[in-house]
Amino acid sequence: MKKVLIVATVVKTHIMQFHIPHMKWLKENNYEVHVCARNDYENKSECVIPYCDCYYDIPFERNPFDIKNITAYKHLKKIIGINNYDIIHCHTPVGGVLSRLAARSARKKGTKVIYTAHGFHFYKGAPIKNWILYYPIEKWLSRYTNVLITINDEDYNCAISKGFKAKKIYKVNGVGIDLKKFGPQTQGEKKELRKHYGYKDEDFILINVAELNSNKNQVLLINAINKLKDKIPNIKLLLVGTGPLKEQYEELVKKLNLENYVVFLGYRRDVPELMALSDIAVSASKREGLPVNVMEAMATGLPLVVTDCRGNRDLVINKENGYVVGIDDVKKFADSVEELYKSEELRKKYSQRSLEFIKHYSLQKVVDEMKKIYEN
């Protein structure tokens, strides 16, 4: 039986959210599956990973330059040394760096290393320090990579044009969206959902599912709502998620007297239902890999208003299935939301296009692509 090691920084917010369907396929195809990641559950005993034969709790830190990662590297190298893996598939910047360094000796014995880049830290418009710090590291480590998988056009073109040394470079459409889990609702179903959650039929509901942090840039959304509250008195913005800027955003909402318009829902397990009761989805990100929240919204049949960043523009075509506006352009963002509010016909058109586009990003298609990569 072949053995594969999956490496990512954390369990709850990476392995469990993104990799279970792929691990299921591996198990069904006679792979012994091991996982290395930090247990980020508050109650450590809750960390039960499906389709995993062996789990190693390694204390990875998100910052690649954190000195604690030296200890994590030593643990990882020891695990790789004793297990004789056929394949090591690493994810996240830290997982990608430490795994490829730790697997250098194993590669000489035949182990194949796959690295999925969920969004390079260097990108068009990135701070110059990102290019100085991260670009040389990724290019150097590419020589220790059998397969480099990118998930958007910009990263794929960068890896090709900059001469990354990975033996093979692919573009795969993210982690895949389960189209059975997310889907459009009838007006009757939507009405019932709103009644259940305490929202009115006439509410115009925007939804953003993301960690509350500076990159996800929810301050733009809050400021856009401030511009729209008088034009659309029944507007609601649902912020689904938690994060380091939660208190700061709550203070801003209070300062602008937007308590009746912006709802902080925290971490939720009912995202499909919350998507289904919404009218449009919004994203104000400064950078993305290939955003799952946008794909979930598309699968639900929602029109979108998103910022013009890598990842967002892979999924949303301006005036096809939504609007793509400049990063930090609050006025244009608000104007785009208002246009969708005023035109039910436009919302229906963009909804239909989202449902057509998302078929290319289905979980089944992505699993099939990964199957070919593993088999090759």
Side-chain angles (χ1 to χ4, degrees):
M1 180 180 288
K2 291 184 178 181
K3 294 168 71 173
V4 60
L5 174 67
I6 310 292
V7 184
T9 306
V10 290
V11 174
K12 182 179 177 182
T13 51
H14 210 279
I15 295 292
M16 297 299 282
Q17 286 187 11
F18 302 131
H19 302 303
I20 299 304
H22 304 275
M23 292 166 61
K24 179 176 183 287
W25 178 86
L26 288 167
K27 284 296 295 176
E28 289 173 348
N29 286 270
N30 299 315
Y31 281 88
E32 182 179 324
V33 180
H34 293 199
V35 171
C36 282
R38 175 165 53 85
N39 185 347
D40 58 335
Y41 282 86
E42 290 184 13
N43 182 351
K44 302 299 183 184
S45 63
E46 292 181 2
C47 183
V48 179
I49 306 172
Y51 311 109
C52 174
D53 296 294
C54 185
Y55 166 57
Y56 298 96
D57 182 1
I58 295 187
F60 293 119
E61 295 294 331
R62 284 192 173 186
N63 181 355
F65 306 103
D66 192 312
I67 196 168
K68 294 178 184 176
N69 280 323
I70 295 175
T71 300
Y73 165 76
K74 290 178 179 178
H75 286 181
L76 186 57
K77 188 174 182 180
K78 183 178 180 180
I79 291 164
I80 292 171
I82 64 177
N83 278 292
N84 299 314
Y85 294 110
D86 295 278
I87 298 173
I88 298 172
H89 192 165
C90 48
H91 304 262
T92 67
V94 169
V97 169
L98 299 186
S99 297
R100 286 180 287 176
L101 288 175
R104 285 177 294 177
S105 296
R107 287 184 73 238
K108 295 176 182 177
K109 300 175 183 178
T111 299
K112 307 298 182 185
V113 175
I114 303 172
Y115 171 51
T116 296
H118 293 269
F120 290 137
H121 280 284
F122 47 93
Y123 52 92
K124 293 176 183 177
I128 189 65
K129 67 177 183 180
N130 286 33
W131 283 90
I132 293 172
L133 289 174
Y134 295 106
Y135 170 70
I137 292 173
E138 285 289 1
K139 186 168 184 180
W140 174 61
L141 286 173
S142 69
R143 70 187 61 205
Y144 303 116
T145 311
N146 294 87
V147 176
L148 170 61
I149 297 173
T150 59
I151 62 173
N152 58 64
D153 288 333
E154 184 178 319
D155 285 353
Y156 176 77
N157 292 331
C158 177
I160 296 294
S161 64
K162 299 294 185 182
F164 279 40
K165 301 299 183 183
K167 292 187 176 181
K168 293 184 179 180
I169 301 174
Y170 296 99
K171 180 197 161 197
V172 173
N173 287 332
V175 295
I177 291 296
D178 187 349
L179 299 183
K180 296 178 182 177
K181 185 177 180 181
F182 292 88
Q185 305 291 309
T186 65
Q187 283 301 313
E189 290 169 334
K190 184 174 181 178
K191 185 175 182 178
E192 284 300 313
L193 276 172
R194 288 195 171 196
K195 182 180 179 181
H196 175 74
Y197 281 90
Y199 297 107
K200 300 175 183 178
D201 291 344
E202 60 268 24
D203 286 337
F204 188 68
I205 299 178
L206 286 58
I207 187 167
N208 172 258
V209 182
E211 183 179 10
L212 303 179
N213 62 36
S214 58
N215 177 57
K216 301 300 183 181
N217 196 27
Q218 283 92 349
V219 65
L220 184 150
L221 303 178
I222 295 169
N223 287 327
I225 294 296
N226 192 43
K227 284 185 173 293
L228 290 165
K229 64 182 179 180
D230 295 327
K231 297 177 180 179
I232 313 175
N234 54 329
I235 197 168
K236 301 282 186 187
L237 169 63
L238 309 184
L239 294 178
V240 183
T242 188
L245 296 187
K246 182 175 184 289
E247 291 184 5
Q248 182 178 318
Y249 288 152
E250 287 175 334
E251 289 174 6
L252 177 60
V253 166
K254 187 175 181 179
K255 178 182 176 182
L256 297 174
N257 297 313
L258 296 177
E259 291 97 328
N260 293 330
Y261 305 97
V262 180
V263 185
F264 292 90
L265 293 179
Y267 177 79
R268 300 293 289 255
R269 298 181 183 274
D270 54 350
V271 172
E273 290 79 12
L274 294 170
M275 287 274 187
L277 64 80
S278 300
D279 292 292
I280 67 174
V282 291
S283 169
S285 295
K286 297 176 181 177
R287 66 172 174 85
E288 289 284 0
L290 196 71
V292 171
N293 61 336
V294 173
M295 290 191 283
E296 291 172 346
M298 292 169 65
T300 308
L302 295 181
L304 295 115
V305 181
V306 303
T307 43
D308 185 12
C309 72
R310 178 197 63 188
N312 277 353
R313 58 176 169 258
D314 287 74
L315 296 169
V316 182
I317 301 174
N318 193 45
K319 297 186 178 181
E320 285 284 330
N321 62 324
Y323 292 103
V324 181
V325 305
I327 294 174
D328 294 327
D329 191 341
V330 177
K331 182 180 184 304
K332 183 63 176 175
F333 204 100
D335 289 346
S336 299
V337 171
E338 186 179 3
E339 283 188 41
L340 288 171
Y341 169 73
K342 289 179 176 179
S343 176
E344 183 178 354
E345 182 180 349
L346 200 58
R347 294 200 302 274
K348 287 181 178 178
K349 174 188 172 184
Y350 290 173
S351 170
Q352 188 57 43
R353 295 296 280 160
S354 279
L355 291 171
E356 292 170 8
F357 291 165
I358 199 61
K359 292 175 183 177
H360 301 289
Y361 300 87
S362 72
L363 180 59
Q364 189 57 56
K365 280 187 175 291
V366 171
V367 169
D368 287 345
E369 290 181 58
M370 289 305 306
K371 175 183 176 183
K372 291 178 185 177
I373 290 171
Y374 273 102
E375 288 176 344
N376 288 337

